Amino acid sequence: MLNRDALLACVAETDGDGGCIGVLVLRTQRLRDFEMLFGYAAGEALATALEHRLREALRPVDRLFRIGECDFAMVLPGLKQRQHAALAAGKVSRAARAPLEVCGHPVRANIAVGVATRPHDGTDPVTLCRRADEATLEAVQTAERHAFNSSVERQLVSHDALREAIAANHLAIWLQPIRSVRDGRLHGFESLARWRHRDAWVAPERFIATAEQTGLIGPLTHWSLHGTLRACAPALRENPTLVFSINLSPRAVLEDDVVAAFSAALALWGVPASALKVEVTETAFVSDMPALSEVLRELHATGVAISIDDYGTGYSSMAYLREFPVDEVKLDRSFIQDITVNTRSRQLAAAAVSLAHGIGAQVVAEGVESAQTLALLAEMGCDRYQGYLHGRPAPAAEAIAAMTGGD
């Protein structure tokens, strides 16, 4: 099943024919979660259906390799220019995300496609494939779900460097405003951890993944909680109605006494629990849903609000709404990015808003970048929004200063 050696041999032997060679790596996200819900046979059926779909999207000269349970690599020879690899990745991404027939049911695969080209990203097969694979981490963060590797040579995030950064307070809190759809009034901020290491910004998804894999997610959560409360305490004196959201990894919830830690931090900084909201990522795989639900209910009982982040991008949307004490649902930007031009997207977004309101939850739309999108969200009854239209992330001090100056 696994053809990694054949893939490397193919890359080594492929001639660019005067142009360049492209390598695409497609990673299926949260496959294990999918299999837990629908069974192992469904996981294999998804891989088979996805393989057929990819072959249809590729040119006859392109080569396809299955390199994981539901992961694939593609070699694209004879590309005239680097951008043609991006065009191919876009076609592959759209094909893979279209509904697939799996065990008699339509399923949308949650995928990310990383892109690399020779000679731009490397000349030897191992480097080229690694660079494409690394780029899938960046693709997950894009609406198109495909991306080039953004750096010439990706900086490794080591456990020791991250541990030192947390201990020495070398990370920073940035804030992005969240506003009312109805009147634009400032509702609060989402707190975002940022890290500048060796004169370069480290992507949050990379150092958070390192924290989760190396046992640092507890210390990182503790740092983020106190950093957020430190920033919001003076802002609340100016506007006591503000709510600050902090991202909470399910792994941190299951590994640490989160309820006690949050209560102690709120007391230390003199911040009421009603001013804090925790965002649990809907795309995160949860190995122990009952335990996570119990902790979130205990936290909710203290007055802290619970939000489901990136709603609609994973397999467990309904399970989260059923099991967790949900106060808010945040629609992922992929839900709303084309609602101004795509009727079905608009209908799906409206249905999501209606569903959330039906269980008594408020709705926040992420990634709002145009006035037209905002107007449609208002028609749907969406409650709040965040995005570049009226607020990019900024260092906490700058965001608070802008608030006191304009809101």
Side-chain angles (χ1 to χ4, degrees), residues 179-182 353 357 361-364 377 381-385:
R179 297 181 177 276
S180 166
V181 169
R182 182 174 60 85
V353 171
H357 285 167
Q362 298 283 290
V363 182
V364 178
L377 291 170
C382 182
D383 302 288
R384 295 183 283 275
Y385 74 98

Side-chain angles (χ1 to χ4, degrees), residues 167-251:
N169 198 31
H170 288 165
L171 285 79
I173 292 293
W174 286 39
L175 300 174
Q176 182 173 31
I178 300 173
R179 297 181 177 276
S180 166
V181 169
R182 182 174 60 85
D183 57 15
R185 185 183 301 274
L186 183 66
H187 170 77
F189 294 91
E190 179 181 0
S191 176
L192 306 165
R194 295 291 185 262
W195 182 25
R196 191 169 179 84
H197 180 54
R198 295 178 179 173
D199 296 323
W201 290 105
V202 182
E205 65 272 13
R206 294 182 57 231
F207 68 76
I208 290 172
T210 296
E212 290 184 327
Q213 294 164 9
T214 62
L216 289 175
I217 192 62
L220 179 60
T221 300
H222 183 271
W223 176 90
S224 183
L225 173 61
H226 283 268
T228 300
L229 295 178
R230 183 187 305 115
C232 77
L236 287 170
R237 288 193 289 269
E238 296 286 340
N239 184 348
T241 67
L242 293 177
V243 177
F244 287 75
S245 300
I246 179 174
N247 291 278
L248 185 62
S249 165
R251 187 164 299 183

